[in-house]
Amino acid sequence: MVRVVNPHSRIAAPRPHGSRRTVGPVTRLGNRHAARPLARSVATLVAAIAAACGILAGSVAPAHAGLFDFLTSPTVTVISNPGQLAPRESSQVIVRASAPARPGTVVNLVTAGFLNLGYSVVGTTKLDANLEARLPLPGRDFLGSYQYWAQVPATGAHQEGNSARFSVTIASPPKPVSPTCGGANPTRPDGTPWRCTYNDEFDGTSLDRKWWRPQTAFQTGTSSRYACAADRPDTISVGGGVLSLSLVELPTPVAACANNQTTRFVNGQVMHYQTFNQTYGKYEVRARVSSLRSPGAQTSFWLWPNNDTYGPWPASGEIDFAEMYSSAPDNVFPYMHYLLGENDPKTNRNVPGAVCPISFGDWNTYGMEWRPGQIKILVNDQVCVENNYSTVGGVQGQYGPFDKPFYLNLNQAMGTTGNEYDPNVVPDKVTTQIDYVRVWQ
């Protein structure tokens, strides 16, 4: 007779004759049927391995298709990308992924590092219900071609998946279409009209950043007290029909400088760097500088070469067609920087600068007419200085260095040596207002 034992008892039931005690994780009961769970587990494992082999071999195994997804990578395809953008213009990239990625899976936009070494993530979002995503593509400051790709990072559910690489080119925007220059139609000395190529009347409420780039990597002033060019609403603003550029003293120092130096002074400067440039033409800026009659502030309008074709400054040239100093507020001081050839004032040969009167506190126009071999600086439509330029020894050719493209800069800066800023005299904010910028060719 077999004795029935309470299943919770510590006393083991007698073994049937001929049974073998199994020791280990399966069971300690001497019953051949107790080994069946082990057999079922082994059978399941074998089936899973077979299914995995089928998956890896490309066969279909519906019952176990998701079991080894962690060994596979989702396919990532770029559906659309912008191809070409202007400097600082942002856009988006649309991508699609495949299983084993799921809705909500993170997807990154990645760009190659310098010299295509390494990479960095520039945009992140998640896949939608259709396994698609719109990745933000931030703007870039400099012209060139840049490599990108989309990436689904590895998770516990799948391996990393990457799209093919694609390029986005940063290029200068096309020249303005049919600018009007406010309806002004100036003529050349021979009576033929200048052709308007660019104008900004500043009639909006914000800076047109398609064309204007704020300077953020420049300091003015002296080594002991300096202002850093900063892109801030209190240094650069548009409203009331004018562009306002300001020199501002802040209540506390800020890390506004490109080299991470701190300062209590910031200033506004905008430029056409990598957006608009030309060789030869007519420029005109109507502006009202601050009413400051003490040292400390400087306003400048100038052209800078697109490239250092003839070497570092001043070999490649610079045309300061207006420089105003608050220490001498009744005059403008234009100057042309280059490797001057022989000077002859009687023929206006290599006369690089002058001092010309302006109407203090009022609106004045500052401009220039630039032709091969000659630059005229004008103030209120009157010739301030005429320079029939040539370089020393003619080493830069007949019309160099002013035979290459230049771009426009406008700023309100802190004064430098001889016009040094005095915080006890200069107000907390000094502003130059600009009514319009007009360019012809």
Side-chain angles (χ1 to χ4, degrees):
M1 176 182 292
V2 177
R3 183 158 49 98
V4 179
V5 181
N6 185 333
H8 301 289
S9 170
R10 294 178 182 270
I11 302 174
R15 288 181 292 149
H17 179 71
S19 67
R20 180 176 299 173
R21 181 183 297 273
T22 304
V23 180
V26 179
T27 179
R28 294 188 61 85
L29 294 177
N31 190 327
R32 67 172 59 96
H33 301 292
R36 289 177 179 173
L38 175 61
R40 285 195 296 268
S41 297
V42 171
T44 301
L45 179 59
V46 170
I49 294 173
C53 293
I55 292 172
L56 294 176
S59 61
V60 179
H64 301 282
L67 185 62
F68 281 79
D69 281 351
F70 70 94
L71 295 176
T72 64
S73 299
T75 299
V76 184
T77 304
V78 175
I79 301 173
S80 71
N81 72 80
Q84 180 172 308
L85 297 171
R88 297 169 305 285
E89 182 183 2
S90 60
S91 186
Q92 65 180 6
V93 175
I94 303 176
V95 302
R96 179 184 297 127
S98 68
R102 302 182 178 92
T105 297
V106 170
V107 57
N108 297 324
L109 183 63
V110 182
T111 186
F114 181 65
L115 297 178
N116 287 326
L117 300 175
Y119 65 90
S120 59
V121 175
V122 296
T124 298
T125 188
K126 294 182 178 180
L127 295 174
D128 62 17
N130 297 316
L131 297 186
E132 293 185 0
R134 297 175 180 267
L135 285 157
L137 175 61
R140 286 186 178 262
D141 288 333
F142 302 104
L143 304 183
S145 181
Y146 299 91
Q147 294 285 310
Y148 294 90
W149 64 96
Q151 176 194 83
V152 174
T155 68
H158 56 74
Q159 299 297 304
E160 178 179 291
N162 291 281
S163 73
R165 294 195 178 201
F166 61 94
S167 297
V168 174
T169 299
I170 308 301
S172 296
K175 298 292 185 182
V177 178
S178 302
T180 62
C181 287
N185 296 294
T187 57
R188 310 170 196 262
D190 63 4
T192 59
W194 292 96
R195 177 178 55 88
C196 181
T197 55
Y198 173 86
N199 72 290
D200 194 336
E201 308 297 313
F202 303 109
D203 292 331
T205 58
S206 61
L207 186 71
D208 185 353
R209 292 173 182 259
K210 178 180 180 180
W211 302 106
W212 294 110
R213 176 179 179 179
Q215 171 66 267
T216 57
F218 196 68
Q219 292 179 199
T220 57
T222 65
S223 58
S224 59
R225 181 177 288 116
Y226 51 87
C228 292
D231 183 7
R232 299 163 46 107
D234 54 355
T235 59
I236 303 170
S237 63
V238 173
V242 299
L243 164 66
S244 296
L245 301 175
S246 301
L247 168 65
V248 182
E249 180 178 1
L250 303 173
T252 57
V254 296
C257 304
N259 56 6
N260 292 322
Q261 287 180 287
T262 58
T263 180
R264 289 181 57 195
F265 304 94
V266 290
N267 71 285
Q269 175 179 329
V270 296
M271 54 188 176
H272 280 160
Y273 176 64
Q274 293 191 335
T275 63
F276 179 86
N277 59 78
Q278 67 180 39
T279 306
Y280 309 127
K282 178 180 175 68
Y283 287 74
E284 186 172 278
V285 177
R286 184 171 187 260
R288 180 169 60 191
V289 300
S290 76
S291 57
L292 181 65
R293 275 193 173 275
S294 303
Q298 175 178 335
T299 300
S300 301
F301 309 144
W302 76 100
L303 297 183
W304 188 262
N306 248 28
N307 300 292
D308 288 339
T309 304
Y310 295 105
W313 186 91
S316 291
E318 175 186 351
I319 307 172
D320 302 328
F321 63 90
E323 286 195 330
M324 288 78 76
Y325 308 102
S326 59
S327 57
D330 297 305
N331 294 298
V332 59
F333 301 80
Y335 200 88
M336 288 155 271
H337 301 267
Y338 61 105
L339 302 179
L340 278 75
E342 183 180 353
N343 170 263
D344 184 359
K346 294 181 180 180
T347 61
N348 295 321
R349 185 178 181 185
N350 293 313
V351 180
V355 180
C356 305
I358 58 174
S359 180
F360 174 75
D362 293 332
W363 291 95
N364 294 273
T365 58
Y366 307 90
M368 57 172 284
E369 294 181 358
W370 168 26
R371 293 188 292 272
Q374 184 184 79
I375 296 174
K376 288 182 181 179
I377 306 297
L378 300 98
V379 179
N380 295 321
D381 295 322
Q382 300 300 310
V383 176
C384 170
V385 59
E386 180 179 316
N387 182 21
N388 298 317
Y389 65 86
S390 63
T391 55
V392 60
V395 295
Q396 296 175 339
Q398 185 177 5
Y399 302 129
F402 302 114
D403 58 350
K404 302 297 180 184
F406 281 64
Y407 64 90
L408 179 64
N409 295 260
L410 313 170
N411 84 351
Q412 172 64 74
M414 177 179 280
T416 186
T417 304
N419 184 38
E420 296 182 14
Y421 186 98
D422 184 350
N424 298 316
V425 176
V426 180
D428 292 347
K429 190 171 186 177
V430 176
T431 299
T432 289
Q433 294 181 315
I434 299 171
D435 181 33
Y436 62 73
V437 170
R438 295 171 183 169
V439 184
W440 297 264
Q441 201 172 34

